[in-house]
Amino acid sequence: MERRDFLHDISQLTVAVCAGSLLAACSKSSDNNATPDPGGGGGGNALITANLTSELTAVGSSKTSGSVIVIRTAAGNAAASFVALSLICTHQQCTVNYIGDNGFKCPCHGSEYSVSGAVTMGPAPAPLKKYTVKVSGNTLTVS
Ligand code: FES
């Protein structure tokens, strides 16, 4: 085999290996997209789901997923017994901390919010974003 033929064969082999790697990577990605996230209770596009027989049982208890929190504010398994809010401060988008009965405090510039998300101390210009809470039987969903 001449040097030129050898280099040609090697370059074709390299292209074939690279193409195979790319296809494998694409295949893996689409497999991940095709697998539905069970979401802990069939909540569909729910941001948070909770089983109320074991979660959020006490007033003041909370569950967080990403930048969304749901808090039990009253007894009883009705949607009105809960509030779901964004944890993103409306001032400059820092993540606020839930501090129990006193609501939320932003560590960046000191804004404070009530448990319902209303601004109680600036500089935050607007309340925390609210999400919809639904309760069906013992399953709570936030969307
Ligand atoms: S980002 Fe929260 S007070 Fe400024």
Side-chain angles (χ1 to χ4, degrees):
M1 178 181 284
E2 290 190 22
R3 183 171 184 253
R4 171 184 260 174
D5 292 337
F6 175 77
L7 290 175
H8 181 260
D9 289 349
I10 285 293
S11 68
Q12 285 187 329
L13 179 63
T14 302
V15 168
V17 168
C18 289
S21 296
L22 287 173
L23 288 174
C26 290
S27 162
K28 185 175 182 179
S29 176
S30 65
D31 286 349
N32 287 343
N33 290 337
T35 303
D37 180 2
N45 293 329
L47 299 168
I48 298 177
T49 60
N51 180 342
L52 297 177
T53 61
S54 59
E55 300 174 281
L56 299 167
T57 56
V59 173
S61 60
S62 64
K63 183 174 183 179
T64 301
S65 178
S67 62
V68 179
I69 187 170
V70 60
I71 303 166
R72 178 184 280 280
T73 57
N77 287 351
S81 300
F82 302 90
V83 62
L85 300 165
S86 167
L87 290 170
I88 304 302
C89 182
T90 59
H91 180 228
Q92 291 181 0
Q93 288 70 54
C94 288
T95 300
V96 299
N97 297 312
Y98 175 49
I99 53 174
D101 289 347
N102 294 323
F104 300 88
K105 186 169 180 72
C106 181
C108 292
H109 310 103
S111 286
E112 294 180 5
Y113 302 85
S114 69
V115 172
S116 66
V119 177
T120 56
M121 180 182 293
L128 296 173
K129 178 180 177 180
K130 279 191 179 182
Y131 293 96
T132 301
V133 176
K134 291 182 181 169
V135 175
S136 177
N138 289 321
T139 301
L140 174 145
T141 57
V142 175
S143 57

